Amino acid sequence: MTDTPSTPTPPLLSSQNNRRSFLKLLTASSVTVGGVVVAWPFLNSLNSQNTILEHSFVDVDISSLKTGQQITVTWQGHPVFILNRPKETLQTLQDASLVSHLRDPDSKDFQQPPYTQNWHRSIHPETAVLIGVCTHLGCVPTLQLSNKMGGLYNCTCHGSKFDLAGRVYKSMPAPYNLPVPPYTYIKPNIIRIGENPKGQDFDFTKIKQL
Ligand code: FES
């Protein structure tokens, strides 16, 4: 885990440029994979990483995730950003001046489960769960919190920008919003990535583009 705050407050916990660097920066306070509790040193091993990829879900305890903080875990080989969005960010996501600059503000493209096709692209507005893979050529965007528009995800490879709901700005190299994985809350503070809420059958393999 690398602490790289882009602004004095709130803190920023995750910042990566590409998939390779991501493997060195895996972070989670408490992660369970396929029913097995996994500690941080275990995640830091490539062999262990291969083991993790075989499992279909990852449980993440977000109870210690503070406002403005992000942790990154891996699910099925993909980095997954879990961001505790500040109230100001939630207001900004609904701001017409932001929405008018987005390519697909209503998430009409099939890049997320139906149960997250809303203005915040998540189950609970304050917690974003996004696949951290740019839909252009697959780099890992970097979180940049700021007062302007509440912050963004910036893909430094070719300059694509996404808001903090993973919605891509217009006229960017990336054609689609960041994907949202299937996930559910198995306890108020524990997210299971890789499993839909009861009664939902979202198939991640059917999204337009990873
Ligand atoms: S891979 Fe993100 S802009 Fe090209």
Side-chain angles (χ1 to χ4, degrees), residues 134-139 155-160 162 173-174:
C134 178
T135 54
H136 181 218
L137 294 176
C139 290
C155 184
T156 56
C157 288
H158 311 95
S160 290
F162 306 81

Side-chain angles (χ1 to χ4, degrees), residues 107-197:
S107 299
K108 290 180 178 166
D109 288 324
F110 192 61
Q111 283 290 91
Q112 63 286 308
Y115 50 87
T116 66
Q117 191 185 12
N118 49 44
W119 61 267
H120 45 89
R121 301 188 75 229
S122 59
I123 294 176
H124 297 315
E126 66 275 13
T127 305
V129 180
L130 299 164
I131 300 285
V133 175
C134 178
T135 54
H136 181 218
L137 294 176
C139 290
V140 177
T142 301
L143 171 63
Q144 296 178 349
L145 291 175
S146 70
N147 293 329
K148 189 181 177 188
M149 294 301 186
L152 53 80
Y153 287 107
N154 183 28
C155 184
T156 56
C157 288
H158 311 95
S160 290
K161 294 179 176 28
F162 306 81
D163 75 358
L164 294 187
R167 298 176 297 186
V168 68
Y169 281 75
K170 289 177 180 172
S171 304
M172 296 287 144
Y176 300 111
N177 295 340
L178 296 180
V180 177
Y183 74 96
T184 188
Y185 285 79
I186 58 171
K187 290 184 180 175
N189 283 318
I190 298 185
I191 295 174
R192 174 165 289 174
I193 301 166
E195 189 172 294
N196 290 307

Side-chain angles (χ1 to χ4, degrees), residues 16-206:
Q16 310 95 336
N17 287 327
N18 54 50
R19 290 173 194 250
R20 193 161 291 136
S21 64
F22 161 74
L23 291 175
K24 298 175 184 172
L25 293 171
L26 282 173
T27 173
S29 56
S30 175
V31 179
T32 304
V33 182
V36 179
V37 175
V38 179
W40 159 239
F42 183 63
L43 283 172
N44 208 21
S45 148
L46 187 59
N47 286 337
S48 298
Q49 177 68 18
N50 290 338
T51 301
I52 288 168
L53 300 186
E54 297 169 5
H55 295 286
S56 60
F57 67 81
V58 177
D59 290 347
V60 185
D61 182 352
I62 59 168
S63 57
S64 59
L65 193 64
K66 294 182 173 58
T67 302
Q69 288 186 322
Q70 175 172 285
I71 55 175
T72 305
V73 300
T74 189
W75 168 71
Q76 299 280 303
H78 311 305
V80 178
F81 299 152
I82 302 175
L83 171 66
N84 186 330
R85 290 180 287 214
K87 278 185 188 149
E88 301 75 27
T89 295
L90 297 181
Q91 289 171 356
T92 301
L93 292 180
Q94 303 171 79
D95 190 325
S97 61
L98 166 68
V99 169
S100 64
H101 287 90
L102 302 175
R103 187 194 157 275
D104 180 17
D106 299 322
S107 299
K108 290 180 178 166
D109 288 324
F110 192 61
Q111 283 290 91
Q112 63 286 308
Y115 50 87
T116 66
Q117 191 185 12
N118 49 44
W119 61 267
H120 45 89
R121 301 188 75 229
S122 59
I123 294 176
H124 297 315
E126 66 275 13
T127 305
V129 180
L130 299 164
I131 300 285
V133 175
C134 178
T135 54
H136 181 218
L137 294 176
C139 290
V140 177
T142 301
L143 171 63
Q144 296 178 349
L145 291 175
S146 70
N147 293 329
K148 189 181 177 188
M149 294 301 186
L152 53 80
Y153 287 107
N154 183 28
C155 184
T156 56
C157 288
H158 311 95
S160 290
K161 294 179 176 28
F162 306 81
D163 75 358
L164 294 187
R167 298 176 297 186
V168 68
Y169 281 75
K170 289 177 180 172
S171 304
M172 296 287 144
Y176 300 111
N177 295 340
L178 296 180
V180 177
Y183 74 96
T184 188
Y185 285 79
I186 58 171
K187 290 184 180 175
N189 283 318
I190 298 185
I191 295 174
R192 174 165 289 174
I193 301 166
E195 189 172 294
N196 290 307
K198 280 192 174 59
Q200 299 285 339
D201 61 355
F202 170 64
D203 182 353
F204 184 71
T205 66
K206 299 285 198 305

